Amino acid sequence: MLYVGQRIVQALVSIFGVATIIFFILRLTGDPVLLMVPQNATAEDIAVLRHALGLDQPVGLQYLQFLKQIFTADLGYSYIQNMPVLDIVMERIPYTIDLAIFALILTVIIGVPLGMITAIYKGTWIEKICMPFILVGQSMPAFWTGILLIMLFAVQLKWLPSSGAENLQSLILPAITLASLSIATVARMTRSSMLEQLGQDYVRTARSKGVGIPRMLYRHLLRNASIPIITVIGLECANLLGGSVITETIFAWPGLGQLTIQAIAARDFPLVQAVVVLGAAVYIFINLITDLIYGWIDPRIKLGRETSQ
Amino acid sequence: MKASWRSVQKTAVLVFGLLCIIALAGCSVAKQADSNKPQQQGEASTDSRKLVVDLANEAANLDPGLQYNFDSYAVYRNIFDNLLRRDPATNEITAGVAEAWKQDSPTEWTFTIRDNIKFHNGDPLTAEDAAFSILRILDKEFLSPQYANFNMIASVEAEGNELKITTNEPSPTLLAQLVNLSIVPKKYVEEAGNEQFNLKPIGSGAYLFDSWAKGTNITLKANEEYWDGKPEVAAVEFRFVPDRASRVADLLSGKADFVAGVSPDDVESIQSNSNLQIISTPTERIAFLAFNMVDDTPTKSTAVNQAIAHGINYDSIIESLLQGYGERVTQVLTPLSFGYDPSISGFDYDPEKAKELLKEAGYDNGITVDLPTSPSFDQRVVQAIQGDLDKIGIKVNIVSTDHATFLKKVQDPARKWGSIRYGIWSCGCMDADGTLLPLFRTDTIWSSYSNPEFDQAVDAARTTTDEAARLENYKTALNILQQDVPGIGLYQHFALYGASNKLQWQPDPQENFFVKDIKWVK
């Protein structure tokens, strides 16, 4: 319990750090007012708007204001969309979750078996067929995979919509695009982890005892190889939930990734701050969960100091 | 035995968790699919189908007082009526919500408001509403980004069916700005509040607001009782597709009927499909180079700027990069602008002369200059300029940042941004006042040039409504620009749209998008 408490405090400190960094970096790089006014605006018009948004105050003062907002869970008001930031973000979250879950399912049900197969059948023709898929998935960037999929399935075959978020079909291409990189990562991690286990003595012992392959895979190999695999899946999960900027942009998928890009382009400070802090929180939270799962899967990993003495 | 029971438990939990996740995802997507179903059925059952339009960005706002970027404009100007209009064929200002207007004195105007216009909630549109629409933009608390477009207005009054506007000084561009003034319903806005009005806007325009799925689309329905005739297109869906290649794919796959923000590079793939067409028109938008003549850089010298002006292969940019979708210009104005002077000669492509000019200016060994830019500008044009100038001995460093950083740098009063900047400009007013003054007058946010005679000419031209006097002043101003060369016109920008060949539409030089003007080919 002490361990979990410590981890939560650490997580809160990290989130606070992220919030501080994003606050200052944003203010160093651009001025939202210049993007809001018409091009024929005068310096006076700009000053009026800047004052109204409170951006003419000293940065230190603005920062205190921002901290106050964080502690009162008031994320502020979007400069551009004239809505509370929280409402805007909440509207986008379900889309990102849908996409992340589908991509994650694809990642796990394709990535893990693919990694296992290439490990068990190392050196055979099966590995030679499977490895190129992993390599292609690893090396194709999302903007390329996405456009190829659109060209094939939307423009040529007309099976699936080319963009948008209207129904279940709209989800398929972005999920595949998003998953292709994760699948390759998970497959590679599974493969190397399995190969390491295959060389262990206990595998030879089990084999000599006559344990069948399925049973050995499940009871022995996978369990022992699972820690790094779960780490990678956890990281991918956090990545996916943070919103995928490129995939969401290509498929016009209205998730957090696209929202982030729009908010940054407009220097919509309150919105960028909210999205970044939220993204960091998700990342940190999933890492926390991953750590806790370790102990559950492998009781040899004890939690915290209480047992380390 | 114990250990294996434990593992069965774990497997069961894992499987259950996975099932929960799948069910959850299935539910939330199914919900979205359901909400979309009625629309699809409606589409199939009516003769006049829904028009699907791909925009590059989501409309930030549907409140006309707040945003007026292209993507917001394209949507909300269909929901609202404007005080005045422009005839798309002649570009003349014509009646809109105001059926007539007169100038009572150099600063006083009276507009007569039509009495047969109703808002979508049934309320009649009155002069009160027109006055309110202006006053809320002028209200500094409201933070309208449009404030700068209307701050020449000193006071507004509604009397019966008449709207009286008084300007601070005689304003020649008042009417041109009122073409962009959308009339909002006073009563509804005050009752609903600004936030609610933005989410469920009510206007008097040819289309009614129907739905807004944030991040995805906005749909509008035809206003059957529109005072100026029932629109032909029954419904329109605006989708937000930020990636250009995806927009073209939407068009090719039949997902969209109309796509904004098409590049000349896409023309070939769109035209090769027999179901599609390219729609294009010259606009009032001008592509230009501006030189920093305030900071101590080589472009402080007129001779260097003349050399640059002679060193750019304009025809090559228009023919090979823009595929002909552009037109040569001689000044930093298009012929569509009031104040354009056909007697200005401009600059020819003459690299030999350019080299001589550089030599005369004392730069025998060539020079190096910075060109700040952002991805908002066509980088191929920027690179072509870099290539052309390299041939005459000017080495151009392209300094690319995102647009917000670019603006901050270029608009900083210190004017330490570099030497050359490429821009593309439209005032939306078809008047030299909206271009020459903000770009080159001393101490405007964009200008890195100062000449009292030029300032005097553009100031004089904006404070009189006497057209002959204004033309004379712009002639003076344009001649000064030709002499001093603080900037040069590169080309007149053409609007470029991709569309299904089942629709018929005439675009206009102000890049308006009125769905009412679109017809389906029978």
Side-chain angles (χ1 to χ4, degrees):
Chain A
M1 249 359 254
L2 179 67
Y3 172 77
V4 175
Q6 279 174 345
R7 287 301 315 265
I8 289 171
V9 171
Q10 272 177 18
L12 289 177
V13 171
S14 309
I15 292 172
F16 175 76
V18 169
T20 305
I21 292 171
I22 190 68
F23 178 89
F24 286 104
I25 284 185
L26 268 179
R27 277 157 183 80
L28 282 176
T29 58
D31 186 342
V33 179
L34 300 182
L35 291 156
M36 286 168 76
V37 294
Q39 33 184 16
N40 57 346
T42 62
E44 279 165 47
D45 302 333
I46 291 173
V48 167
L49 197 54
R50 181 171 293 138
H51 176 73
L53 293 174
L55 291 169
D56 57 343
Q57 292 175 345
V59 177
L61 212 62
Q62 289 182 45
Y63 180 62
L64 288 179
Q65 189 72 28
F66 170 60
L67 290 185
K68 199 180 120 200
Q69 281 187 347
I70 289 187
F71 282 111
T72 52
D74 165 19
L75 293 174
Y77 207 76
S78 160
Y79 297 161
I80 311 296
Q81 298 191 39
N82 301 88
M83 275 174 75
V85 161
L86 191 64
D87 292 358
I88 299 173
V89 173
M90 291 313 277
E91 271 167 349
R92 303 301 186 97
I93 286 179
Y95 289 102
T96 287
I97 291 184
D98 283 351
L99 188 55
I101 287 173
F102 263 65
L104 198 66
I105 291 172
L106 287 177
T107 301
V108 174
I109 63 174
I110 300 176
V112 174
L114 199 61
M116 283 163 58
I117 288 167
T118 50
I120 291 165
Y121 296 101
K122 187 168 186 287
T124 69
W125 59 272
I126 298 178
E127 188 204 17
K128 288 198 177 71
I129 289 175
C130 292
M131 278 313 278
F133 284 101
I134 299 180
L135 285 175
V136 166
Q138 184 77 29
S139 40
M140 294 240 289
F143 59 84
W144 177 239
T145 319
I147 291 293
L148 285 184
L149 289 173
I150 290 176
M151 280 306 170
L152 181 62
F153 292 104
V155 176
Q156 293 300 326
L157 300 170
K158 298 196 194 295
W159 288 352
L160 295 166
S162 39
S163 70
E166 284 135 33
N167 44 37
L168 205 55
Q169 283 95 319
S170 315
L171 189 55
I172 298 173
L173 291 183
I176 294 175
T177 307
L178 199 53
S180 67
L181 186 63
S182 310
I183 289 173
T185 312
V186 169
R188 280 174 56 244
M189 187 50 80
T190 308
R191 176 182 144 87
S192 63
S193 187
M194 290 289 272
L195 283 176
E196 196 185 301
Q197 294 300 325
L198 280 168
Q200 300 284 327
D201 288 344
Y202 76 87
V203 175
R204 223 178 312 144
T205 314
R207 273 213 153 141
S208 63
K209 271 167 59 185
V211 177
I213 285 189
R215 186 178 157 79
M216 191 171 74
L217 263 181
Y218 176 69
R219 284 299 309 278
H220 300 277
L221 281 173
L222 200 53
R223 282 186 68 185
N224 282 299
S226 59
I227 292 293
I229 300 173
I230 284 173
T231 310
V232 167
I233 292 175
L235 283 175
E236 292 299 327
C237 180
N239 273 337
L240 295 173
L241 284 175
S244 159
V245 170
I246 293 169
T247 306
E248 287 183 4
T249 304
I250 293 172
F251 291 97
W253 187 264
L256 288 174
Q258 220 200 100
L259 182 69
T260 313
I261 278 294
Q262 289 164 355
I264 292 176
R267 290 295 189 281
D268 194 342
F269 290 166
L271 190 51
V272 179
Q273 283 160 190
V275 176
V276 171
V277 171
L278 183 79
V282 168
Y283 219 99
I284 291 164
F285 179 71
I286 288 186
N287 271 321
L288 187 67
I289 300 277
T290 315
D291 281 0
L292 299 180
I293 290 179
Y294 290 165
W296 181 57
I297 297 250
D298 186 347
R300 281 174 305 175
I301 298 180
K302 298 291 190 221
L303 295 182
R305 280 192 200 133
E306 49 199 311
T307 53
S308 67
Q309 292 142 356
Chain B
M1 207 46 212
K2 218 177 176 184
S4 96
W5 172 237
R6 207 178 138 80
S7 84
V8 169
Q9 268 182 320
K10 281 182 190 176
T11 318
V13 171
L14 277 175
V15 169
F16 179 72
L18 196 67
L19 285 177
C20 284
I21 287 173
I22 294 174
L24 202 81
C27 286
S28 59
V29 172
K31 224 179 347 184
Q32 288 163 22
D34 277 350
S35 67
N36 229 55
K37 244 180 196 159
Q39 281 176 16
Q40 283 166 353
Q41 281 167 355
E43 187 183 305
S45 63
T46 50
D47 300 340
S48 41
R49 47 188 274 244
K50 182 173 71 175
L51 175 76
V52 180
V53 176
D54 267 19
L55 298 175
N57 297 292
E58 177 162 22
N61 261 292
L62 294 183
D63 181 336
L66 287 175
Q67 252 320 314
Y68 81 124
N69 55 25
F70 176 82
D71 305 291
S72 300
Y73 236 31
V75 179
Y76 77 62
R77 293 195 77 182
N78 292 295
I79 304 175
F80 298 93
D81 272 316
N82 299 299
L83 190 66
L84 299 173
R85 289 178 180 174
R86 259 185 213 274
D87 184 321
T90 62
N91 293 322
E92 291 294 320
I93 294 176
T94 61
V97 166
E99 60 185 344
W101 65 93
K102 62 179 196 292
Q103 190 175 9
D104 304 320
S105 81
T107 58
E108 288 172 312
W109 301 75
T110 301
F111 299 82
T112 312
I113 307 296
R114 277 179 215 274
D115 55 11
N116 61 340
I117 305 182
K118 277 195 164 66
F119 286 113
H120 301 150
N121 59 1
D123 292 349
L125 185 154
T126 65
E128 284 281 334
D129 297 305
F132 175 72
S133 306
I134 297 175
L135 288 172
R136 70 198 291 259
I137 290 175
L138 295 178
D139 175 10
K140 291 196 174 170
E141 297 282 298
F142 183 55
L143 300 185
S144 174
Q146 299 217 56
Y147 177 76
N149 292 333
F150 292 98
N151 62 0
M152 76 287 254
I153 296 176
S155 69
V156 187
E157 259 176 88
E159 284 171 22
N161 68 337
E162 287 189 339
L163 174 73
K164 290 194 186 295
I165 297 180
T166 311
T167 55
N168 295 312
E169 277 171 303
S171 171
T173 51
L174 176 72
L175 295 181
Q177 291 298 352
L178 291 177
V179 167
N180 302 332
L181 178 77
S182 297
I183 309 300
V184 302
K186 181 178 183 209
K187 190 163 160 251
Y188 175 70
V189 174
E190 286 179 342
E191 280 171 11
N194 290 329
E195 208 170 288
Q196 200 54 32
F197 177 57
N198 175 33
L199 292 175
K200 288 199 170 64
I202 285 181
S204 61
Y207 284 84
L208 313 160
F209 173 78
D210 184 22
S211 71
W212 186 353
K214 280 289 173 110
T216 315
N217 63 11
I218 293 176
T219 52
L220 310 180
K221 285 185 303 198
N223 177 2
E224 306 278 329
E225 280 138 39
Y226 188 53
W227 61 274
D228 199 20
K230 186 184 151 191
E232 185 176 320
V233 173
V236 52
E237 174 188 353
F238 293 93
R239 304 170 77 245
F240 321 125
V241 185
D243 190 63
R244 207 188 81 214
S246 305
R247 288 197 296 276
V248 173
D250 284 346
L251 199 59
L252 293 172
S253 67
K255 180 99 191 140
D257 304 304
F258 183 94
V259 173
V262 167
S263 144
D265 282 350
D266 303 322
V267 168
E268 203 186 320
S269 65
I270 292 173
Q271 277 178 337
S272 67
N273 185 320
S274 59
N275 297 321
L276 304 177
Q277 60 176 329
I278 286 285
I279 299 178
S280 173
T281 192
T283 69
E284 63 164 321
R285 201 174 283 276
I286 178 98
F288 65 95
L289 293 185
F291 305 119
N292 192 343
M293 299 189 78
V294 173
D295 190 29
D296 207 9
T297 88
T299 51
K300 200 169 186 173
S301 144
T302 292
V304 169
N305 300 346
Q306 282 171 336
I308 293 171
H310 285 298
I312 291 168
N313 192 342
Y314 305 95
D315 288 332
S316 159
I317 290 176
I318 292 170
E319 289 314 314
S320 45
L321 291 183
L322 307 177
Q323 320 271 352
Y325 291 101
E327 184 74 46
R328 280 290 298 272
V329 286
T330 53
Q331 50 206 287
V332 192
L333 274 185
T334 72
L336 291 164
S337 244
F338 178 89
Y340 176 85
D341 184 352
S343 72
I344 301 284
S345 61
F347 299 90
D348 295 330
Y349 176 50
D350 188 347
E352 289 312 311
K353 190 168 176 187
K355 283 183 205 161
E356 264 171 47
L357 281 162
L358 268 190
K359 215 177 266 175
E360 279 169 31
Y363 293 109
D364 292 349
N365 303 321
I367 49 176
T368 304
V369 292
D370 280 353
L371 189 159
T373 185
S374 88
S376 304
F377 303 107
D378 188 341
Q379 291 303 299
R380 299 167 317 152
V381 174
V382 173
Q383 284 154 14
I385 289 164
Q386 182 188 39
D388 285 345
L389 295 185
D390 193 54
K391 287 179 203 147
I392 60 166
I394 299 178
K395 196 175 169 320
V396 177
N397 288 329
I398 296 175
V399 186
S400 189
T401 56
D402 79 305
H403 199 64
T405 313
F406 167 82
L407 287 182
K408 195 173 180 177
K409 185 156 65 175
V410 169
Q411 299 188 351
D412 189 272
R415 299 290 180 244
K416 294 278 180 200
W417 52 265
S419 298
I420 308 178
R421 107 187 140 75
Y422 162 67
I424 183 149
W425 187 277
S426 166
C427 64
C429 63
M430 301 184 95
D431 193 293
D433 178 62
T435 304
L436 297 185
L437 186 131
L439 283 180
F440 299 114
R441 195 198 180 284
T442 307
D443 288 339
T444 64
I445 55 173
W446 291 100
S447 168
S448 289
Y449 167 66
S450 180
N451 181 334
E453 285 171 52
F454 175 84
D455 295 352
Q456 205 193 344
V458 291
D459 286 350
R462 85 165 346 193
T463 46
T464 171
T465 48
D466 175 351
E467 294 202 348
R470 298 190 72 220
L471 280 177
E472 199 52 45
N473 277 312
Y474 285 129
K475 195 182 190 68
T476 311
L478 287 164
N479 273 302
I480 296 172
L481 295 186
Q482 171 82 12
Q483 248 165 35
D484 289 1
V485 206
I488 51 171
L490 290 175
Y491 57 87
Q492 178 181 21
H493 174 81
F494 282 26
L496 210 51
Y497 310 92
S500 151
N501 59 10
K502 292 196 183 60
L503 64 84
Q504 202 179 11
W505 177 59
Q506 176 57 48
D508 69 37
Q510 292 204 296
E511 298 164 71
N512 288 314
F513 184 70
F514 292 117
V515 180
K516 187 177 186 291
D517 299 337
I518 296 178
K519 309 253 180 285
W520 292 113
V521 176
K522 295 273 150 55

